[in-house]
């Protein structure tokens, strides 16, 4: 596949994303002309791009969709549920055409035939489905779209304009035909009689025009004289300014005195703003539920640039290298007590730090990126299982590292599936329990310290602790007489091969359970926990580090090797005599009256050499316990740029990566959770 | 050009000569301090910092079933680009010394020896006779890196067993 085609693919999947978002919003506000417009435009772009880059099938298909939405635009066709369904399925259809390598051609063709039939039915209007009731804010939207706008137009013909056979005054005539206007003519540039050339133009003019034809119509007037005159078109207001109070004195024509445009504008703005506020208030009172629409329109106006993700990765690598080099320079400056060097090093460090922060912020993507997909998922699945479910996403603007976003998609999808399939009851069950018939799933994202928390809450039936317990006993995961706390019982669902649903459905019972969710989340260094209340619902909480590539750590040393332990897991640090460790029984040490289990890393890592007399024991958090890890020496805090250890060391997962120190050597970053897991297992064996 | 010509870089492990196609060699480095990665197999010596990235270092002698490398004045690291499970990976190998770069015509390469050879023929692309009558073994470095086992053939059954035994440990 050539470069252009892959560019198109990327663009097309973006467009389909936008399409889905627009459709979901349109579903709630079926008469919003802006949304219909944007769907039409997306289809149009897909058609154009498809044709240009050799995706004829996409081009042909989107052509039909484009036609359909054009009819909606012209109000010849109404948005129906069937139409939305067909468009949703078309989005999937286009996606499968985009991803097809030729192997699914037959399947796609069959699907297309079915969709075509449905589109034809819609176009012929013999569809049986009823139109979705119009919402109340239609009228205001309509009034806006077709409203009168006021423009300021200044035309300065070049002297040669008449030599091309254009009579500049015809332009005024033509503009006057568009609507109510006032024109001001400037004669001041006419030269003395001696210098006057008969076929040159010295006059220019300005005009205030109120028209309902739009800016494009005005531009069309000048289409043939573009090169012969200087035209300025400015919109003054989204309304007809002529009837406005107090505007008339400003529109008096006095030759050679320009309109006081600033004054006209500010007055017009004030009046339209007032008008708008009144309308908005009315609209708000009429319908408070159009937040999504506003958000959608707002988002499409946010500007940004597209950058290939490799470029960002490259930038991040360079920044990481800079931070590492900076650490080296700091070390050098510290060792050479040179004031000038210290000063330069400090100011350079300041810049590096700012650059690092900016670069890191570039790699962040709002969770909203995922939410669009989830809305679609919830919509489709809840219909499939015949439940009414409202999906609410809060804090979708919360930003996360792009690699985290990628890693989150699948586990979150699975959690949502579970909630829809098992969590939320059917409408009848809910009514019987005195709950509103439609279920609710809330996805909430927020920052908490150096972590991002994502919580998925449903108001379904909750998890049955007894059922989990008995299932775990059935599966041989626990002993029947084992006493477990509520939390411990809930943690059982994260064990491999655990599924509480009695029947396997094609939605969530695909043989993967919460254990996969947990594994995927810990792959991106996150944790997952669950809390539940019978008949009230379940909350699954995911906690993630803000970024994957930089961590605050504690630099420690064992023998001649440096290690980094993330600060986030460290609880306390004690100095300890080696003799005390020697004497300890079963790796339990007594510190200040408390018994702590500990791991002596020197032995676990089989590092030879002389053991120091005094060592340091670092208490790290392991679930809700504290476990000691013994190292030789603590160097100090260190901000580590995390680098992967690479494929060859993939077995050594007790290290989450490596980091390059100021002197150019490599330190290994310990994943204490895995260290404890691995050596516990090893010792048990 | 009548014949395809390939360039190789030759190096010494103990008293024997080996060569790798230059297209797979990125760099030759002086020995630097290697950070040992605990819990890894012995032939995986550790990692070094190569211009800001972390490069794994392999003791190729141990991989071939020889004694571990003794660091000497001539010891260098060859930085290679190898393909492991369809993925390009950079890795360094420790060699006793680098000899030279030489060109070979394709038809001058002799097929790897069959029975009776010291090294498994699947890791050897071919054998070439140098101008000084010495033989050099052209290595298929991708295969060597993709394999977890010790590469030496001598008693293939034994070495395979010991490799599995190591894994169980």
């Amino acid at each position: 596949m050539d470069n252009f085609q892959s560019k198109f693919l990327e663009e097309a999947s973006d467009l389909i994303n936008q399409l889905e978002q627009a459709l979901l919003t349109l579903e709630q506000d079926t008469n919003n002309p802006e949304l219909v417009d944007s769907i039409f435009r997306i289809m149009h772009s897909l058609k154009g791009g498809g044709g240009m880059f050799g995706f004829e099938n996409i081009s042909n298909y989107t052509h039909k969709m484009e036609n359909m939405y054009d009819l909606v635009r012209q109000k010849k066709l109404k948005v129906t549920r069937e139409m939305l369904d067909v468009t949703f399925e078309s989005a999937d259809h286009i996606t499968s055409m985009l991803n097809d390598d030729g192997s699914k051609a037959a399947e796609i063709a069959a699907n297309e035939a079915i969709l075509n039939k449905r589109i034809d039915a819609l176009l012929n209007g013999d569809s049986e489905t009823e139109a979705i009731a119009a919402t109340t804010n239609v009228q205001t939207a309509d009034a806006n779209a077709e409203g009168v706008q006021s423009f300021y137009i200044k035309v300065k013909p070049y002297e040669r304009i008449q030599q091309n056979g254009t009579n500049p005054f015809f332009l005024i005539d033509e503009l006057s035909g568009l609507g109510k206007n006032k024109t001001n003519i400037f004669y001041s540039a006419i030269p003395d009689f001696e210098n006057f050339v008969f076929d040159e133009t010295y006059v220019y003019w300005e005009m205030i025009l109120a028209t309902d034809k739009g800016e494009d119509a005005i531009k069309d007037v000048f289409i043939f004289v573009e090169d012969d005159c200087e035209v300025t078109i400015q919109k003054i207001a989204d309304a007809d300014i002529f009837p406005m109070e107090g505007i008339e004195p400003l529109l008096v024509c006095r030759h050679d005195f320009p309109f006081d445009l600033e004054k006209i504008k500010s007055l017009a703005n004030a009046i339209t703003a007032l008008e708008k506020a009144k309308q908005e208030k009315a609209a708000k009172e009429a319908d408070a539920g159009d937040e999504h629409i506003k958000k959608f329109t707002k988002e499409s106006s946010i500007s940004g640039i597209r950058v290939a993700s490799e470029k960002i990765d490259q930038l991040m690598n360079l920044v990481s290298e800079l931070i590492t080099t900076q650490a080296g320079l700091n070390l050098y400056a510290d060792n050479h007590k040179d004031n000038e060097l210290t000063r330069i090093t400090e100011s350079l460090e300041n810049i590096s730090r700012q650059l690092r922060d900016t670069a890191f912020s570039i790699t962040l993507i709002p969770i909203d990126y995922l939410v669009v997909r989830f809305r679609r998922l919830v919509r489709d699945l809840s219909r499939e299982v015949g439940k009414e479910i409202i999906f609410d996403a809060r804090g979708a603007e919360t930003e996360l590292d792009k690699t985290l976003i990628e890693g989150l998609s699948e586990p979150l999808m699975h959690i949502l599936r579970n909630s829809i399939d098992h969590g939320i009851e059917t409408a009848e069950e809910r009514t019987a329990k005195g709950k509103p018939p439609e279920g609710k799933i809330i996805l909430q994202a927020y920052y908490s310290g150096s972590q991002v928390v994502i919580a998925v809450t449903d108001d379904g039936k909750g998890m049955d602790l007894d059922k989990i317990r008995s299932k775990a006993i059935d599966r041989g995961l626990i002993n029947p007489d084992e006493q477990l706390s509520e939390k411990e019982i809930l943690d059982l669902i994260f064990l491999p091969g655990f599924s509480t649903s009695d029947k396997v459905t094609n939605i969530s019972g695909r043989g993967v359970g919460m254990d996969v969710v947990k594994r995927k989340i810990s792959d991106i260094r996150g944790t997952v926990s669950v809390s539940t209340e019978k008949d009230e619902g379940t909350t699954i909480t995911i906690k993630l580090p803000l970024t994957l590539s930089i961590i605050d750590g504690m630099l420690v040393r064992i023998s001649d090797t440096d290690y980094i332990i993330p600060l986030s897991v460290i609880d306390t640090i004690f100095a300890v005599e080696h003799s005390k460790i020697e004497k300890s029984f079963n790796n339990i040490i007594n510190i200040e009256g408390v018994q702590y289990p500990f791991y002596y890393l020197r032995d676990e890592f089989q590092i030879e050499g002389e053991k120091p007399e005094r060592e340091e024991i670092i208490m790290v958090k392991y679930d809700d316990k504290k476990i000691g890890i013994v190292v030789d020496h603590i160097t100090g805090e260190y901000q580590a740029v995390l680098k992967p250890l690479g494929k060859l060391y993939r077995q050594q997962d007790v290290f989450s990566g490596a980091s390059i120190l100021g002197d150019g050597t490599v330190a290994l970053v310990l994943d204490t959770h895995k260290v404890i897991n691995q050596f516990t297992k090893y010792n048990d064996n | 050009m009548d014949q395809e010509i390939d360039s190789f870089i030759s190096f010494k492990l103990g008293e024997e000569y080996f060569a790798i196609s230059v297209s797979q060699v990125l760099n030759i480095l002086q020995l630097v301090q290697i950070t040992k990665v605990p819990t890894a197999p012995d032939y995986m010596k550790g990692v070094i910092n190569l211009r800001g990235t972390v490069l794994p270092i392999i003791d190729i002698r141990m991989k071939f079933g020889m004694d571990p490398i003794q660091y000497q004045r001539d010891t260098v690291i060859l930085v290679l680009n190898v393909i492991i499970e369809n993925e390009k990976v950079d890795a360094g190998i420790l060699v006793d010394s680098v000899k030279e770069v030489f060109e070979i015509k394709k038809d001058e390469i002799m097929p790897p020896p069959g029975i009776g050879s010291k090294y498994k023929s699947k890791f050897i692309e071919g054998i070439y006779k140098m101008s000084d009558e010495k033989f050099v073994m052209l290595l298929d470095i991708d295969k060597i890196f993709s394999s977890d086992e010790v590469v030496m053939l001598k008693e293939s059954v034994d070495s395979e067993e010991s490799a599995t035994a190591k894994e169980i440990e």
Side-chain angles (χ1 to χ4, degrees):
Chain A
M1 180 171 308
D2 64 40
N3 203 5
F4 289 114
Q5 282 197 338
S6 63
K7 258 257 141 57
F8 169 68
L9 284 182
E10 204 177 292
E11 204 179 296
S13 68
D14 266 6
L15 284 170
I16 289 170
N17 230 335
Q18 285 173 26
L19 175 66
E20 292 194 342
Q21 191 163 354
L23 281 171
L24 287 161
T25 327
L26 185 68
E27 199 172 26
Q28 290 163 25
D29 182 11
T30 50
N31 283 297
N32 190 323
E34 262 176 61
L35 291 168
V36 173
D37 257 1
S38 75
I39 293 171
F40 173 79
R41 273 199 309 273
I42 290 166
M43 290 299 179
H44 185 79
S45 310
L46 281 170
K47 183 180 88 170
M52 203 181 299
F53 296 107
F55 292 86
E56 298 300 338
N57 49 352
I58 289 174
S59 175
N60 289 338
Y61 186 76
T62 44
H63 177 65
K64 284 171 225 143
M65 298 300 293
E66 187 190 354
N67 279 346
M68 181 164 80
Y69 278 92
D70 196 30
L71 290 174
V72 178
R73 263 181 6 152
Q74 295 166 23
K75 309 225 176 296
K76 288 181 185 156
L77 211 59
K78 261 192 152 10
V79 176
T80 59
R81 193 162 277 276
E82 165 70 3
M83 185 186 291
L84 289 171
D85 282 346
V86 169
T87 321
F88 270 122
E89 278 164 51
S90 299
D92 295 342
H93 179 58
I94 296 167
T95 311
S96 55
M97 284 198 280
L98 284 169
N99 297 334
D100 183 37
D101 52 359
S103 59
K104 291 198 187 120
E107 206 175 295
I108 287 172
N111 191 19
E112 178 153 342
I114 298 169
L115 284 170
N116 275 338
K117 228 180 208 164
R118 287 169 70 184
I119 294 171
D120 288 343
L122 281 167
L123 290 176
N124 297 332
D126 55 6
S127 151
E128 300 274 309
T129 48
E130 96 279 22
I132 299 170
T135 46
T136 41
N137 57 346
V138 185
Q139 280 148 342
T140 50
D142 275 357
N144 254 342
E146 294 177 6
V148 178
Q149 293 171 315
S150 301
F151 294 93
Y152 166 79
I153 304 153
K154 185 174 179 183
V155 185
K156 217 170 181 174
Y158 297 143
E159 291 177 348
R160 57 161 198 272
I161 188 168
Q162 290 185 69
Q163 290 156 5
N164 294 342
T166 312
N167 183 344
F169 284 95
F170 285 159
L171 295 171
I172 303 187
D173 280 352
E174 210 171 320
L175 285 173
S176 303
L178 292 175
K180 209 168 170 188
N181 66 87
K182 287 270 181 182
T183 308
N184 217 353
I185 301 178
F186 296 83
Y187 299 110
S188 55
I190 298 180
D192 295 340
F193 191 69
E194 294 110 25
N195 298 323
F196 189 89
V197 181
F198 80 98
D199 64 353
E200 284 191 354
T201 308
Y202 304 104
V203 178
Y204 66 98
W205 72 89
E206 51 179 14
M207 176 185 271
I208 305 281
L209 172 72
T211 176
D212 57 359
K213 306 282 194 298
E215 196 171 336
D216 288 343
I218 301 172
K219 282 185 182 152
D220 285 349
V221 172
F222 297 100
I223 201 154
F224 294 113
V225 293
E226 265 173 344
D227 296 326
D228 297 321
C229 57
E230 199 183 302
V231 181
T232 321
I233 302 171
Q234 251 186 62
K235 190 160 87 178
I236 300 171
D238 279 325
D240 184 356
I241 63 164
F242 286 94
M244 285 180 182
E245 228 172 300
I247 210 107
E248 221 186 339
L250 296 172
L251 297 180
V252 173
C253 298
R254 284 168 301 169
H255 297 313
D256 291 325
F257 280 96
F259 288 125
D260 192 347
L261 189 61
E262 285 315 310
K263 229 173 186 171
I264 295 174
K265 255 187 168 168
S266 65
L267 187 67
N269 272 342
I271 293 171
T272 28
L274 194 72
E275 211 62 38
K276 210 170 169 188
K278 273 189 208 160
Q279 268 182 22
E280 251 173 25
K281 210 174 155 204
K284 220 177 222 164
E285 279 161 10
D287 179 17
D290 59 352
E291 249 173 71
H292 285 308
I293 296 120
K294 285 212 191 94
K295 204 169 152 240
F296 181 75
T297 0
K298 192 189 89 196
E299 255 164 35
S300 49
S301 70
I302 294 172
S303 65
I305 53 161
R306 278 190 78 87
V307 181
S309 52
E310 305 98 75
K311 282 191 187 164
I312 293 178
D313 291 344
Q314 213 178 341
L315 175 70
M316 291 308 299
N317 283 341
L318 286 173
V319 169
S320 303
E321 234 169 283
L322 177 70
I323 298 293
T324 313
T325 315
Q326 181 73 52
L329 181 62
N330 291 354
L331 195 75
Y332 182 83
D334 278 351
N335 294 339
H336 295 72
K337 306 279 177 214
D338 179 329
N339 285 339
E340 189 60 10
L341 180 65
T342 309
R343 193 188 60 75
I344 295 171
T345 306
E346 275 170 9
S347 70
L348 187 64
E349 185 175 16
N350 198 8
I351 297 167
S352 309
R353 188 163 290 157
Q354 285 179 37
L355 181 64
R356 181 201 68 201
D357 291 347
T358 315
F360 276 122
S361 74
I362 292 175
T363 64
L364 299 179
I365 299 176
I367 289 180
D368 199 37
Y369 179 81
L370 291 175
V371 167
V372 180
R373 267 190 269 170
F374 294 158
R375 275 191 202 291
R376 177 78 200 275
L377 177 92
V378 174
R379 177 192 183 274
D380 289 359
L381 287 186
S382 55
R383 281 178 160 217
E384 203 173 298
V385 295
K387 295 174 184 173
E388 277 288 324
I389 296 173
I390 302 167
F391 179 66
D392 190 3
R394 298 174 189 169
E397 69 283 353
T398 311
E399 288 182 323
L400 263 180
D401 194 291
K402 71 181 170 67
T403 25
L404 290 179
I405 294 264
E406 283 157 17
L408 258 180
S409 166
E410 209 187 311
L412 273 179
M413 203 91 94
H414 191 79
I415 292 169
L416 286 173
R417 279 202 190 114
N418 266 337
S419 281
I420 296 165
D421 202 22
H422 309 308
I424 306 264
E425 312 92 327
T426 58
E428 299 85 63
E429 280 177 78
R430 292 182 65 87
T431 328
K433 284 177 184 171
K435 290 188 195 179
E438 66 277 349
K440 200 166 187 180
I441 298 178
I442 302 168
L443 186 142
Q444 215 170 350
Y446 53 92
Y447 297 112
S448 159
S450 63
Q451 287 187 313
V452 176
V453 180
I454 298 160
V456 179
T457 308
D458 68 49
D459 67 345
K461 57 175 174 266
M463 289 180 188
D464 190 336
L465 290 179
D466 294 334
K467 206 166 153 190
I468 295 174
R469 209 192 137 85
S470 57
K471 200 119 220 166
I473 295 169
D474 282 355
R475 302 269 149 102
L477 298 170
I478 52 168
N479 288 326
D481 48 353
E482 214 165 321
Q483 289 299 317
L484 294 172
S485 69
E486 191 177 311
K487 190 180 175 301
E488 282 169 322
I489 294 177
L490 283 174
D491 280 345
L492 292 173
I493 65 165
F494 294 115
L495 291 177
F498 191 95
S499 167
T500 49
S501 178
D502 294 326
K503 57 175 197 286
V504 171
T505 70
N506 67 339
I507 293 173
S508 53
R510 287 207 179 106
V512 289
M514 293 299 285
D515 59 315
V516 179
V517 171
K518 186 172 179 144
R519 207 186 59 228
K520 297 256 164 177
I521 297 288
S522 42
D523 279 352
I524 47 176
R525 299 216 333 269
T527 59
V528 53
S529 62
V530 58
S531 68
T532 187
E533 194 75 49
K534 195 169 162 45
D535 288 336
E536 296 283 324
T538 304
T539 300
I540 309 240
T541 309
I542 296 170
K543 287 185 185 164
L544 290 169
L546 261 182
T547 149
L548 275 179
S549 44
I550 198 154
I551 56 164
D552 284 315
M554 186 66 80
L555 191 62
V556 303
R557 223 177 150 81
I558 302 172
S559 182
D560 57 354
T561 307
D562 293 299
Y563 298 88
I564 291 166
I565 298 176
L567 273 189
S568 56
V569 303
I570 297 181
D571 187 76
T572 37
I573 299 175
F574 300 100
V576 60
E577 304 284 328
H578 183 68
S579 56
K580 204 171 166 190
I581 287 171
E582 289 280 271
K583 275 187 284 180
S584 71
F585 173 70
N586 198 17
N587 279 13
I588 301 279
I589 196 162
N590 188 328
I591 293 173
E592 290 170 1
V594 186
Q595 307 263 341
Y596 294 104
F598 73 92
Y599 290 92
Y600 191 65
L601 274 195
R602 238 176 202 282
D603 286 351
E604 306 293 357
F605 284 169
Q606 296 164 4
I607 298 167
E608 283 148 23
E610 203 169 313
K611 293 165 182 168
E613 273 174 33
R614 273 180 79 79
E615 293 170 310
E616 308 273 352
I617 181 161
I618 300 172
M619 294 299 164
V620 299
K621 295 171 221 160
Y622 178 78
D623 292 337
D624 38 14
K625 301 179 202 68
K626 283 176 209 160
I627 291 176
I629 284 182
V630 183
V631 300
D632 286 6
H633 168 74
I634 288 180
T635 314
E637 281 186 34
Y638 191 80
Q639 196 169 48
V641 178
L642 204 62
K643 308 253 177 188
L645 267 183
K647 215 177 162 73
L648 287 172
Y649 283 106
R650 64 188 182 282
Q651 302 285 334
Q652 281 63 50
D653 65 350
V654 294
F655 304 104
S656 48
S659 185
I660 290 157
L661 300 179
D663 61 359
T665 56
V666 180
L668 301 170
V669 181
L670 281 174
D671 182 336
T672 54
H673 213 268
K674 293 219 172 98
V675 168
I676 293 166
N677 271 345
Q678 171 154 345
F679 293 125
T680 310
K681 259 185 242 154
Y682 179 76
N683 292 342
D684 281 355
N685 288 346
Chain B
M1 210 185 290
D2 297 324
Q3 293 228 311
E4 272 189 75
I5 290 179
D6 205 352
S7 295
F8 284 81
I9 186 162
S10 63
F11 54 88
K12 242 178 137 177
L13 299 180
E15 289 310 308
E16 290 182 77
Y17 290 90
F18 297 86
I20 296 172
S21 166
V22 287
S23 61
Q24 285 192 293
V25 181
L26 300 176
N27 212 338
I28 300 173
L29 301 177
Q30 291 298 316
L31 193 62
V32 291
Q33 195 197 325
I34 298 173
T35 303
K36 195 171 157 34
V37 179
T39 73
D42 287 340
Y43 67 87
M44 289 167 76
K45 280 284 171 189
V47 289
I48 62 162
N49 163 19
L50 176 65
R51 290 189 304 274
T53 60
V54 175
L55 186 81
I57 301 295
I58 308 282
D59 184 347
I60 198 84
R61 288 180 56 111
M62 289 175 82
K63 185 85 178 172
F64 284 151
M66 305 177 182
D67 299 333
I69 195 155
Q70 301 292 322
Y71 297 137
Q72 279 159 353
R73 202 168 49 91
D74 284 343
T75 307
V76 290
I77 296 169
L78 286 185
V79 184
L80 308 177
N81 186 258
V82 293
I83 293 169
I84 303 175
E85 289 163 17
N86 297 321
E87 210 180 299
K88 282 192 172 178
V89 177
D90 288 352
I93 58 169
L94 287 162
V95 301
D96 289 331
S97 63
V98 164
K99 298 320 277 183
E100 59 176 335
V101 174
F102 56 96
E103 285 184 346
I104 314 181
K105 292 193 187 114
K106 269 268 155 77
D107 64 353
E108 289 172 347
I109 300 177
M110 289 179 279
I115 308 149
S117 141
K118 196 167 162 193
Y119 302 98
K120 278 188 189 165
S121 52
K122 71 168 172 174
F123 300 118
I124 312 254
E125 241 175 46
I127 290 180
Y128 176 71
K129 197 173 177 185
M130 307 274 280
S131 49
D132 57 2
E133 299 288 303
K134 282 202 175 85
F135 286 98
V136 56
M137 265 171 282
L138 313 178
L139 296 176
D140 186 336
I141 204 75
D142 290 343
K143 282 201 186 122
I144 292 170
F145 270 85
S146 298
S147 152
D148 282 337
E149 53 191 310
V150 173
V151 173
M152 205 175 85
L153 182 70
K154 226 189 247 159
E155 270 139 340
S156 72
V157 185
D158 278 356
S159 67
E160 257 170 35
E161 263 175 17
S162 70
T164 10
K166 219 165 234 162
E167 271 167 36
I168 292 165
E169 253 175 69

